[in-house]
């Protein structure tokens, strides 16, 4: 048994409670209000809702390129670099990125992994000793579901994915697809697949949002990557008004996978509350992948992030939720649990 004391952000409302979290056998046994001298901030660890960890072999290589030049299949810089990468180099690069993610508070990542079954296996190997559990959306033909947790499609304008969608249905696995990143033309075709997750939705319009709500499709948004690729700004407020929205960092090639940076960007640039942003970075991603984490509640997996509330950066913050969303950085992390 272990105890984590300080200001605890409890439940999916992240209510600040002075007290402690009791952890036993990797699960939250109790959340107790009690006197404590600890200045720590105890909050749920991050679930990064959209990544491409394979792109760790080409960090910053796509700066200044358009979306098509940078990442579009099959001939973009991304795909050329992935094809040229030695497997050991790829595994090492992904592992280093995952270790960075763990040190900065991420315990799980919903990753679109290219290169079929071999790509999924490489990510499993890379993650083995990092403390980050990847939920892998595989690629290629339906056989990738033998090793992946679901299927991740590049986009409805890129190819036909009926067989892959059917295979996910047969196996009870989630089907995810990029949509509305360069423009709106692939959104309705993506929704025709009845996906379990849409990624980006930068160009979502009212009729798309109505379908999203009717079909109860969650969305992962990646505002920093959208800015780097100059594809537009996701309508996060409107998306939140229609469905579950989670936060992701997208390509390691474009941005470091810092959920602190992603939260601060979302909180400061969009019409959202700090609690909404914190939920997007934790409970929402966990809900999408059916992970038993993302909130501090008895019975849940103890996936926790402890911040030094008396750090030079956080000391004097008047609102703990605002502080962890807008101000905290990886330098404030004391430990990651779970």
């Amino acid at each position: 048994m272990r105890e984590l004391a300080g200001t605890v952000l409890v439940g999916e409302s992240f209510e600040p409670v002075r007290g402690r979290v009791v952890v036993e056998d990797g699960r939250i046994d109790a959340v107790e209000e009690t006197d404590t001298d600890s200045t720590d901030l105890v909050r749920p660890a991050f679930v990064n809702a959209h990544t491409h960890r394979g792109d760790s072999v080409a960090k910053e290589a796509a700066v200044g390129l358009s979306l098509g030049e940078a990442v579009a299949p099959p001939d973009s810089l991304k795909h050329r670099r992935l094809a040229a990468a030695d497997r050991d180099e790829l595994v090492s690069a992904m592992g280093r990125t995952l270790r960075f993610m763990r040190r900065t508070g991420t315990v799980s990542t919903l990753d679109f992994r290219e290169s079929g079954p071999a790509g999924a296996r490489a990510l499993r190997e890379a993650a083995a000793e990092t403390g980050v559990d990847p939920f892998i959306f595989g690629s290629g033909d339906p056989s990738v579901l033998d090793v992946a947790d679901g299927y991740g499609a590049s986009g409805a304008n890129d190819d036909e994915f009926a067989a892959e969608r059917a295979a996910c249905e047969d196996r009870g696995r989630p089907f995810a697809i990029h949509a509305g990143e360069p423009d709106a033309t692939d959104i309705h075709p993506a929704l025709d697949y009845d996906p379990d997750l849409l990624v980006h939705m930068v160009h979502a319009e009212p009729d798309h949002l109505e379908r999203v709500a009717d079909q109860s499709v969650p969305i992962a948004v990646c505002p920093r990557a959208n800015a780097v690729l100059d594809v537009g700004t996701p309508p996060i407020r409107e998306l939140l008004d229609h469905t579950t929205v989670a936060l992701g960092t997208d390509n390691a090639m474009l941005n470091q996978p810092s959920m602190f940076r992603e939260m601060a960007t979302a909180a400061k640039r969009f019409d959202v509350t700090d609690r909404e942003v914190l939920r997007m970075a934790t409970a929402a991603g966990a809900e999408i992948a059916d992970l038993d984490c993302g909130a501090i509640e008895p019975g849940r997996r103890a996936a926790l992030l402890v911040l030094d509330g008396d750090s030079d950066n956080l000391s004097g913050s008047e609102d703990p939720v605002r502080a962890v969303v807008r101000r905290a950085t990886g330098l404030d992390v004391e430990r990651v649990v779970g």
Side-chain angles (χ1 to χ4, degrees):
M1 179 184 293
R2 67 189 302 184
E3 296 181 359
L4 305 173
T7 298
V8 183
L9 302 186
V10 179
E12 292 193 26
S13 65
F14 308 107
E15 187 65 29
V17 172
R18 291 291 294 163
R20 64 190 176 195
V21 182
V22 180
V23 176
E24 187 165 10
D25 295 329
R27 307 198 74 78
I28 299 171
D29 184 67
V31 181
E32 301 172 345
E33 188 171 358
T34 186
D35 292 336
T36 177
D37 294 329
S38 174
T39 58
D40 288 346
L41 297 173
V42 185
R43 41 140 299 179
F46 292 119
V47 176
N48 191 329
H50 184 62
T51 58
H52 290 270
R53 289 289 64 89
D55 297 354
S56 299
V57 296
K59 294 173 183 174
E60 311 309 323
V63 172
L65 300 183
S66 69
L67 175 68
E69 294 168 331
V71 302
D75 299 319
S76 66
L77 180 145
K78 164 197 173 91
H79 290 277
R80 295 196 305 273
R81 294 293 291 271
L82 284 173
D86 174 83
R87 188 179 189 280
D88 289 342
E89 174 193 6
L90 176 66
V91 169
S92 175
M94 291 193 296
R96 299 190 72 152
T97 297
L98 289 162
R99 286 194 294 274
F100 170 83
M101 294 173 70
R102 174 73 183 193
R103 286 197 301 272
T104 53
T106 295
V107 295
S108 190
T109 177
L110 281 56
D111 193 81
F112 273 45
R113 184 72 268 269
E114 297 81 7
S115 307
R121 292 189 185 97
L123 179 53
R124 295 253 188 249
E125 181 180 336
E129 303 297 329
T130 66
V132 178
D133 184 20
F135 188 98
I136 301 175
F137 288 98
S139 63
D141 65 58
S143 69
V144 75
L145 296 176
D146 292 339
V147 290
D149 302 295
Y151 191 91
S154 57
N157 288 345
D158 296 332
D159 207 340
E160 166 65 44
F161 297 101
E164 292 79 4
R165 182 66 185 97
C168 286
E169 186 72 22
D170 289 343
R171 297 192 183 206
R173 305 284 183 83
F175 176 87
I177 187 169
H178 295 82
E181 187 177 13
D183 55 46
T185 59
D186 63 354
I187 298 179
H188 280 308
L191 284 164
D192 289 342
Y193 286 112
D194 194 21
D196 300 289
L197 173 65
L198 292 171
V199 180
H200 293 305
M201 292 292 277
V202 173
H203 297 281
E205 298 169 357
D207 57 331
H208 304 127
L209 297 175
E210 290 179 12
R211 285 193 68 185
V212 163
D214 289 343
Q215 295 176 220
S216 298
V217 185
I219 295 168
V221 296
C222 310
R224 286 191 304 140
N226 297 154
V228 171
L229 292 171
D230 196 26
V231 296
T233 303
I236 294 180
R237 176 71 269 155
E238 289 79 6
L239 296 174
L240 279 166
D241 290 341
H242 287 81
T243 191
T244 296
V245 180
L247 204 57
T249 59
D250 205 1
N251 300 70
M253 180 171 59
L254 303 172
N255 289 305
Q256 65 163 269
S258 168
M259 291 294 282
F260 286 114
R261 288 192 179 189
E262 210 70 40
M263 284 199 306
T265 297
K268 295 176 181 181
R269 292 189 55 200
F270 296 88
D271 179 21
V272 291
T273 70
D274 296 321
R275 279 178 167 78
E276 285 176 321
V277 172
L278 187 52
R279 187 179 191 282
M280 289 164 62
T282 56
E287 178 183 316
I288 289 168
D290 198 24
L291 306 176
D292 189 19
C293 60
I296 300 178
E297 296 172 338
R300 293 229 194 187
R301 172 188 167 195
L304 308 171
L305 176 57
V306 181
L307 304 178
D308 178 6
D310 195 39
S311 70
D312 291 339
N313 181 41
L314 295 179
S315 177
S317 296
E318 296 182 357
D319 182 321
V321 175
R322 185 172 297 163
V324 303
V325 169
R326 293 171 173 263
R327 179 169 295 276
T329 75
L331 295 176
D332 301 306
V333 174
E334 282 197 341
R335 59 190 176 278
V336 184
V337 178

